[in-house]
Amino acid sequence: MKKIKLLFTAFTAFALMISCEEEDNLAPLGEWELSEPLLESPGSISLDEDAPIEEYEFTWEPAVSSERYQVRYDVIIDSTGSGIDENPILSKVSENGGKSTRVVFNAAELDLALSYAGFEAGNNVEVEMTVIAKSIDKQSLDTQKISISRFETEYKPEQLFISGSATEVGTNLSGALPTRSLTDSEGNLTYIFEAYTHLEAGETFRVFSNNELPAHVYGGSEGNLVKNGSGISVDESGEYRLSFDFENNTYDLMQIEKLSIVGAVIPNGWGGDEPLDYIGNGEWQKEIYLPAAGGFLFRLNEDWGYLFKQVQGTSDQLYMESQAETAGINVEDLALAVPGNYTVNVNLQSNTYTYSLIGEEPDTTPPSETPESLYLLSSGEPIIQFEKDENTFNAPNYLSLQAGITYQLNSAEDGSGTVYSLEGLVGETSNPDGDSAFGNVNLVEGGEGFTVARDQAYDLALNFESGSATWKYYNIKLFHWDEANGAWDDRDEFLMTYVHPYQFTLTEDLEAGYHMKFNSPWDIQFGADDPEAMSGTMTNNGGENFVNITNSGSYEVNIEVTDDYATGTYEFISQ
């Protein structure tokens, strides 16, 4: 069993103490003797956890130098048969700076040392006590066996650290990852700890009660925490929420597929989900355009049971809603006052979780004034008139715009008014095939107009006060699932191709009897007005599941939507 030293006091080099004698009067080394101390038999001790400061005295007959040189003493407690180990279970200099033939240990001191050494609570432990006498270059000793009965209750750590090759911090215990200690409403420890970090599959980690030795060490398997247990591992590399419960001696490792923003500030609102990127050491971050003011939250794995809200009375602290009541903490939704480009950061490290939203300064000067009217033109011909709301103009419906065409913004319908342009490619996104796409570009006075990155039906809003424009488009997917066997979670989501104007198409193998809908989760959900028909009309956020495929096979599927995405038509053509 590995021994971990509790209280290490370096064995002190003793100076020669001979009153009124010069060094050259010392007896030659080796020409004098040091007798052995005689340790009184310690017998057996039963430690009482209800009396942790109860003292136990150990004494011995002194060792004697034949030349009357001064003698000092150290006492060590160690496993039987260990001899004089460099790192004993427990060591202490005797009283009076080592001169006394007496040493005192209290019950908590003895029990903690035995616990660090790995002996289980409630057990009788057979160890050896050794008193070591030292005088100049000589030493002698005496050893006696002692039986110590440990406290009935094992120690629970008051802090916890994670270390191991599976972690981001490696195996150096001094740099171990600290965990968060959860408390109750009165500030008392619950002995539950948690941490958010990356773990590597095929490697292991353990948890420690200190980031230096001595420390209690815990491992385990299958969710059971074991003192001095084997290293814990995961099957898949990734980010994890680690939870350790020392009241029940259990642990839980939840893989985090995503940490996301959800709420009014993202394009799909409370039905959407905008994940952040993990950047290491319990932090997630992303540069993102938030197109609307309002409330929002952070959540894990799109699960409403794992919501982070803002601690009331703070502007940057987060607490998981499901844990807040036990901790006596009031939480509330986060709020964004001004839409725009932000660097969003969530930091789930140590005892205080925080977030930040840092807005970007606009790259250009906004237009000098807001016009009374605004039109979208192509080749000098008006397409639509925007609807004005104070300093903002909104497109009345989704605009079917084409790549390769330059569009103009003008305060006059015939193009004779003030010209405005958008700096930046509308529709440019790193994830064009997602459920929907959105972004922000600069709005300036003058210029050549603007172009779009791809054919799509765009929502466009122009803010003359901030000098910015927001855009958004929907991709449509055909959801296809085995309703009879409850296989919604295993559904196929077939991405359709946009065809100008307002059309989407795909060719795919479809199964007879499966249910279907046309979705851009979850704002757009087209259901059939006649679910068994191979062609007909459909309604957004209405209608029934399509059940029109009676023969499995390849089908060309075409839909056309209205410019407000309220209704549409569809057809399924067997190939």
Side-chain angles (χ1 to χ4, degrees), residues 2-80:
K2 184 176 179 181
K3 300 175 293 292
I4 305 176
K5 183 175 123 179
L6 171 66
L7 300 171
F8 180 77
T9 303
F11 293 151
T12 310
F14 302 123
L16 178 61
M17 303 295 290
I18 300 179
S19 177
C20 302
E21 293 187 21
E22 298 295 329
E23 287 189 12
D24 56 4
N25 291 330
L26 288 174
L29 297 179
E31 294 184 4
W32 58 279
E33 300 297 331
L34 179 65
S35 68
E36 294 180 354
L38 182 59
L39 181 62
E40 295 184 10
S41 178
S44 62
I45 296 172
S46 181
L47 303 178
D48 183 0
E49 62 187 75
D50 293 327
I53 61 173
E54 181 179 356
E55 293 185 338
Y56 297 90
E57 179 187 65
F58 303 94
T59 60
W60 54 91
E61 293 295 327
V64 177
S65 163
S66 60
E67 293 294 329
R68 300 183 181 276
Y69 299 149
Q70 190 175 75
V71 180
R72 294 176 185 254
Y73 303 94
D74 293 293
V75 175
I76 66 172
I77 296 175
D78 212 345
S79 301
T80 57

Side-chain angles (χ1 to χ4, degrees), residues 119-420:
F119 295 104
E120 296 298 328
N123 287 353
N124 286 323
V125 179
E126 297 294 332
V127 293
E128 291 179 343
M129 175 176 284
T130 301
V131 58
I132 304 170
K134 293 188 176 183
S135 181
I136 309 180
D137 68 332
K138 293 183 182 294
Q139 73 174 33
S140 61
L141 56 86
D142 185 29
T143 298
Q144 298 285 339
K145 285 183 168 52
I146 179 173
S147 175
I148 304 177
S149 178
R150 278 208 57 206
F151 288 170
E152 289 296 324
T153 305
E154 187 55 88
Y155 286 91
K156 293 190 288 284
E158 297 187 357
Q159 58 181 358
L160 203 66
F161 299 84
I162 302 170
S163 181
S165 58
T167 71
E168 296 176 85
V169 295
T171 57
N172 187 345
L173 186 55
S174 64
L177 175 71
T179 65
R180 183 185 199 184
S181 174
L182 302 185
T183 58
D184 63 19
S185 59
E186 297 180 355
N188 300 314
L189 291 175
T190 63
Y191 298 103
I192 297 175
F193 304 84
E194 67 178 21
Y196 292 82
T197 190
H198 178 90
L199 295 176
E200 279 295 319
E203 303 292 335
T204 63
F205 72 89
R206 289 180 174 85
V207 289
F208 298 78
S209 63
N210 201 355
N211 62 349
E212 62 181 1
L213 297 179
H216 289 104
V217 185
Y218 306 92
S221 63
E222 299 181 350
N224 297 309
L225 268 177
V226 179
K227 193 170 78 168
N228 299 320
S230 59
I232 301 170
S233 63
V234 294
D235 295 330
E236 183 177 347
S237 296
E239 286 69 63
Y240 285 82
R241 174 179 179 256
L242 288 66
S243 180
F244 306 95
D245 182 347
F246 284 87
E247 288 289 2
N248 298 298
N249 293 318
T250 59
Y251 69 88
D252 179 71
L253 308 177
M254 183 181 80
Q255 187 167 9
I256 301 172
E257 301 294 343
K258 60 174 70 173
L259 186 154
S260 308
I261 303 174
V262 60
V265 300
I266 61 175
N268 288 336
W270 291 99
D273 196 77
E274 292 297 328
L276 308 184
D277 299 322
Y278 186 71
I279 62 173
N281 297 317
E283 285 191 73
W284 281 260
Q285 185 169 292
K286 191 172 187 179
E287 294 182 6
I288 190 171
Y289 182 70
L290 302 176
F296 67 99
L297 310 165
F298 297 105
R299 70 177 175 180
L300 303 178
N301 297 344
E302 299 186 32
D303 191 329
W304 293 106
Y306 295 98
L307 297 179
F308 286 101
K309 291 188 174 184
Q310 180 174 282
V311 177
Q312 285 186 4
T314 74
S315 60
D316 66 346
Q317 293 186 22
L318 295 173
Y319 213 94
M320 187 172 285
E321 184 180 46
S322 61
Q323 299 172 337
E325 183 177 356
T326 298
I329 292 175
N330 296 319
V331 294
E332 60 190 0
D333 289 359
L334 292 74
L336 179 71
V338 180
N341 290 308
Y342 286 89
T343 298
V344 182
N345 179 276
V346 173
N347 188 331
L348 304 181
Q349 295 184 73
S350 197
N351 269 331
T352 302
Y353 297 161
T354 61
Y355 77 95
S356 64
L357 279 74
I358 301 176
E360 296 182 6
E361 294 294 329
D363 296 332
T364 59
T365 303
S368 56
E369 60 182 5
T370 302
E372 289 300 315
S373 58
L374 189 68
Y375 298 85
L376 177 69
L377 295 83
S378 176
S379 300
E381 295 297 322
I383 299 175
I384 56 100
Q385 180 177 2
F386 288 90
E387 298 173 345
K388 185 177 182 180
D389 181 12
E390 296 184 349
N391 293 307
T392 299
F393 287 89
N394 297 287
N397 289 304
Y398 284 80
L399 306 173
S400 187
L401 305 179
Q402 292 180 277
I405 295 178
T406 299
Y407 298 93
Q408 298 88 36
L409 298 167
N410 201 289
S411 61
E413 186 175 13
D414 61 2
S416 61
T418 303
V419 176
Y420 302 95

